[in-house]
Every structure is written in C-alpha cells, then in structure tokens.
Amino acid sequence: MLKKQIKIAPSLLSADFCAMGEAMKNLKAWGADYAHCDVMDGVFVPNLTFGMPMVKALKKCAQIPLDVHLMIVKPEKYVMQFADAGADIITFHPDASEKTGAALKEIKARGIKCGLVLNPDKPLSLIEPYLELIDMLVIMSVYAGFGGQSFIRDSLAKIGKARALLNAAGRSDVDIEVDGGVGEGNAADILSAGANVLVAGSAVFGSPNPPKTISALRGALG
Ligand code: DX5
Ligand code: ZN
C-alpha cells in the first residue's frame, strides 16, 4: 500500500479576522496544504462563524485549496452554494443531515471532494453506508464548536479503527483528517494511528514561528 501524503490544514478560525487576505497569503508561504474553513450556524454547534460570502472572498486570494468544514444543520441545503463559492473540499456531519448520501453525490458531481465528520461521541457506523462515496473522513478530536480545546486522547483508537474500516472496504485511498487540539505534542501519535491530514488552528496561528510549526507537524513521524 502506498504511503499517504501528509497534509497540514491550518484552521482560519484562529487567524486574525481583520486580516484574512494576509492569512491566506501566509498559509501558502508557510507551506500549508489546505486552508481549513470552519462554518458554524449557532444551531448544530453553540457558536457562529461565517458562511458562503466569506468562503467566496477567501477564494479570491486563495493559493491553496479551501477545506470547508460545515457545522450546520441540514447541510444538504447549502452544499451547492459552498461549491459555487469556491470550496475545494466540503465535509459535513452526517448526524446534522437528513440527506447524507444525496448531498455527498451532489458535491461529487461538481468535481469537488466530499467527506463526513464525526464528533467524539459519534460512532464509525454512521459513515459505513457512505464508504463508497467519501474522499475524506474527519475524526473530531474535540467537540466541534470552538478552537483552542484540548485533544481527546480516546480519538487515537478511533482513528486506528477508522483506518482499518476503510482498508477493509477497499478504500485505503480515503484521507483521514483529524480536527481539534492538534499540535506538535500529539501529531506523531495521530499520524501513526492512521491519519494523514492534520487540522491545526491555535497551534499554527498561535505559534511564534508558523512555518516551523507546520513543518514540525508534517515531519512528526521523523
Ligand atoms: C472546531 C473546529 C476546528 C478548530 C481547530 O470546531 O472544527 O477546526 O478550529 O482549532 P484548534 O486546532 O485550535 O483546536
Ligand atoms: Zn474544523
């Protein structure tokens, strides 16, 4: 089996909202692979961030793909609008959707990557019906809603189980992204458990040397 490429996706939630254009420019210069955009509706999660207009604005100055994480109810109502806004990857929580399969198919039909996200209390069985459709599985290692929370160690076992499930289904090509509390102290454990995409908000934007942090995360396995 080919070794999967490790990708780093800094979360813009921890960037300076007064200077998003600069943040986008920086991400490319710092060597990030994706710009992770956290969309929250105040209903699925107890926090509000931004929607399609912001994604559209970010796309104008984006030099790397936009990885859009929808934390909203009924994401099926909005996925095409996020596609139009310029999302390159769209992920959503299956427990927030009444039309998970249809929404995934719609995203794929647009030639955009799609994925499903599981909060820490949501079992892998929720994504089993959709293994054929997804390009990415996101394992939340904190409860979705806020940046800067502490990594939940139990997530490591879930990542391992997720990788085994994907391999057994003949989907070793699917990316496993881990989101929440990721930093230099746990990146090696997360990657060795079977993940290959790391979201990092506070670890990157709060770092005195973001490019160094990004390369440390990428090279955590040595
Ligand atoms: C949480 C978001 C995360 C968050 C990550 O709901 O999905 O993407 O911004 O931030 P850190 O890396 O600070 O935990
Ligand atoms: Zn996220």
Side-chain angles (χ1 to χ4, degrees):
M1 199 186 308
L2 267 179
K3 211 167 161 261
K4 292 190 71 60
Q5 206 191 332
I6 294 167
K7 295 194 168 121
I8 309 301
S11 166
L12 292 168
L13 197 55
S14 299
D16 177 358
F17 274 35
C18 272
M20 288 308 241
E22 204 186 317
M24 291 305 293
K25 230 187 281 164
N26 284 340
L27 287 186
K28 168 77 178 168
W30 295 344
D33 298 280
Y34 298 143
H36 185 83
C37 306
D38 286 305
V39 176
M40 306 187 191
D41 67 354
V43 180
F44 182 67
V45 288
N47 196 8
L48 285 161
T49 54
F50 52 77
M52 293 80 79
M54 177 64 126
V55 171
K56 195 171 175 187
L58 293 171
K59 186 66 179 180
K60 285 191 192 141
C61 48
Q63 300 171 60
I64 54 174
L66 298 181
D67 168 27
V68 177
H69 173 193
L70 300 180
M71 286 159 272
I72 62 176
V73 293
K74 297 195 177 146
E76 61 273 10
K77 284 169 74 178
Y78 299 99
V79 285
M80 280 307 100
Q81 293 181 54
F82 280 100
D84 290 340
D88 296 281
I89 304 167
I90 300 177
T91 65
F92 63 89
H93 294 247
D95 46 313
S97 179
E98 287 158 6
K99 296 180 177 163
T100 298
L104 291 172
K105 282 181 193 155
E106 251 190 301
I107 300 168
K108 276 181 96 71
R110 281 287 295 263
I112 295 168
K113 288 192 174 178
C114 65
L116 293 174
V117 194
L118 293 176
N119 258 320
D121 62 347
K122 293 291 175 279
L124 287 166
S125 58
L126 278 187
I127 58 123
E128 275 184 71
Y130 310 108
L131 290 180
E132 302 242 307
L133 291 171
I134 57 174
D135 300 296
M136 183 185 265
L137 169 60
V138 187
I139 303 290
M140 292 304 303
S141 37
V142 300
Y143 282 89
F146 299 91
Q149 304 180 72
S150 301
F151 183 80
I152 298 171
R153 295 287 301 176
D154 287 354
S155 314
L156 292 173
K158 192 173 182 184
I159 297 163
K161 282 184 192 144
R163 183 52 82 197
L165 178 71
L166 289 167
N167 288 347
R171 294 301 319 272
S172 57
D173 58 306
V174 172
D175 288 315
I176 296 185
E177 178 174 84
V178 175
D179 186 3
V182 176
E184 288 183 53
N186 54 25
D189 290 344
I190 296 167
L191 295 172
S192 31
N196 68 301
V197 185
L198 303 178
V199 174
S202 35
V204 168
F205 285 100
S207 166
N209 189 340
K212 196 167 161 228
T213 299
I214 288 175
S215 70
L217 291 172
R218 195 193 306 289
L221 284 183

